[in-house]
Every structure is written in structure tokens, then in C-alpha cells.
Amino acid sequence: KPIVGMAATPDGKGYWLVASDGGVFSFGDASFHGSTGAIRLNKPVVGMAGSPDGKGYWLVASDGGVFSFGDASFHGSTGAIRLNKPVVGMAGSPDGGGYWLVASDGGIFSFGDAQFFGSTGTIHLNQPMVGMAGSPDGKGYWSVASDGGIFAFGDAAFFGSTGAIALNRPVVGMSTTADGHGYRLVASDGGIFSFGDATYFGSMGNQALIAPVVGMTATPDRFGYWLVASDGGIFSFGDATFFGSPSAE
């Protein structure tokens, strides 16, 4: 099954990849804590988030079902609720005591100690949401649409977007800087767009890819980032180290 997301360990010396069937692939110092790869899911997995200490992770499916592994605690899900639109991503709160889910219409679902700060669920969007990121203190979050439109809530500040630019390929994910004063967007062709204090370290935007990029994650010091493609290919920039990939095995 295709890779749909990734998360890095707290020290940046490893990462997990997750496939649409919930299969988890661990590299570097990222430990394997379980997966849904052998379970029949109602809906495909669309993303993941790591616990703050790196000893667990959550997977989220398009129906908002949440699967918890290791020390990642289950705080609730929308798996039993009929959603207007599918869930497309998630973000964990800084202490691991909760998480947010975001749907393609911008609806936000908060669980545990993750607070609700607003959403675009009742607004007509030009393009669907594709992902989100929480602010470092957990008091806000950003959601990003496929045109690179950014929607900021709580103490998450707006630093710019590609919403008014014609992109070669749609945006598929985002990551924030350590201080929350910037963010990067990644497009399916591997193009990177940096805003605020987020530094640009390179991209795959001008190279022919075998498979589209589906997500990204930044190193803990935010001086680097990884991109992941649907075939599990990993592209490392800045101080992000390559620890392996399913496509290389």
C-alpha cells in the first residue's frame, strides 16, 4: 500500500512512515510499537503523529478512527460519527495528552487536552484541506489547503501562503519551526515553500520523481526536513539525516 505520512523521533535520529493500510515502517532510532497492517480497516489511514517522548504514535484514518501504539494514549475519535468530509490529517498536543484531527472541509476535532480554537468547517473553501500542524505551546494550530492557503487559529500566526499563486502541483502537507514563527509547505512534486523564520534548505521541485511526495516533517532543531513519497522514498535536506526507506529495501 502507498505511504501516506511520516513522523520524526524527538531527537531527529529516526522516523516512522505509515501506509494507507496502517502498516508502520521504522528507521533510525524510531522503535516499532505496532500497526494496523494486519487488521481490516473501515477506511484507509491518512496520517500519523508521534508521541512527545518518541515511545509511541497515533495513526488516523479518513473516518477519524484513531489507533494508538506504545505510550501514545487514546483520547477519542470520530470513527463512530458520520462526518461531512473525510479526515485528512492530525497533530498531537505538546505534552501528548491530546490531539487534533482536521477534515478536508477544514473541520477540526479536538480530543484530550487539545483545545478547539476555531475551524473553517462552515466556510466555503477554494480547495480542500490537506493537513495541519500545532503551535509549539499547544495554544493554536494551522491548517493548510491544497492550493497552499493557510488558516491560522489561536496563537498560531499567519506568515504567508501560496493561496494566490498558481502552483505546478498541489500542496500535500506542512511543518512548523521550533518557535512557531514560521512554517513550510510541501507540494506533491517536492516543491518547498518557506514562510516566517522557516529556512529553505532545498527541494525536489525541479527533479523528476518516480512517485509523488505525500508529506514532510522537520528535524527537532528545525534546521532540516524530510520529504516522503508515496513509494516510501525519503528526501533529506539541511541537517536531516537519511536513515533508510522502504523503497531502498
Side-chain angles (χ1 to χ4, degrees):
K1 296 292 182 179
I3 298 297
V4 294
M6 75 178 300
T9 56
D11 62 4
K13 295 179 179 177
Y15 43 74
W16 299 276
L17 310 183
V18 63
S20 63
D21 63 356
V24 172
F25 304 89
S26 306
F27 299 94
D29 68 358
S31 299
F32 178 78
H33 300 289
S35 77
T36 64
I39 301 171
R40 182 179 172 86
L41 301 176
N42 293 327
K43 295 291 183 181
V45 168
V46 294
M48 75 179 303
S51 62
D53 62 5
K55 296 178 180 177
Y57 42 76
W58 297 274
L59 312 182
V60 63
S62 65
D63 62 357
V66 172
F67 306 92
S68 306
F69 299 95
D71 69 356
S73 299
F74 178 77
H75 301 290
S77 78
T78 63
I81 302 170
R82 182 178 173 86
L83 301 177
N84 292 327
K85 294 291 182 179
V87 168
V88 294
M90 75 178 303
S93 63
D95 63 2
Y99 41 75
W100 297 276
L101 312 182
V102 61
S104 65
D105 63 355
I108 297 284
F109 305 93
S110 306
F111 299 94
D113 66 2
Q115 293 179 262
F116 178 78
F117 298 105
S119 77
T120 63
T122 59
I123 301 171
H124 177 73
L125 301 176
N126 291 327
Q127 298 293 330
M129 292 296 179
V130 294
M132 75 175 300
S135 62
D137 62 6
K139 295 179 181 176
Y141 43 75
W142 298 269
S143 55
V144 60
S146 64
D147 63 355
I150 291 283
F151 303 88
F153 301 94
D155 69 356
F158 178 79
F159 299 106
S161 78
T162 64
I165 302 171
L167 302 178
N168 293 327
R169 290 288 184 264
V171 167
V172 293
M174 73 178 299
S175 70
T176 64
T177 57
D179 60 6
H181 293 159
Y183 42 74
R184 301 179 187 92
L185 313 182
V186 62
S188 66
D189 63 356
I192 294 285
F193 306 93
S194 301
F195 300 94
D197 66 0
T199 305
Y200 176 80
F201 296 108
S203 80
M204 299 297 291
N206 58 354
Q207 300 187 46
L209 301 178
I210 296 172
V213 168
V214 294
M216 75 177 301
T217 192
T219 57
D221 63 8
R222 302 307 200 261
F223 290 118
Y225 43 80
W226 298 272
L227 312 184
V228 61
S230 63
D231 63 354
I234 294 285
F235 308 98
S236 306
F237 299 94
D239 67 0
T241 305
F242 176 78
F243 297 107
S245 76
S247 65
E249 294 179 354

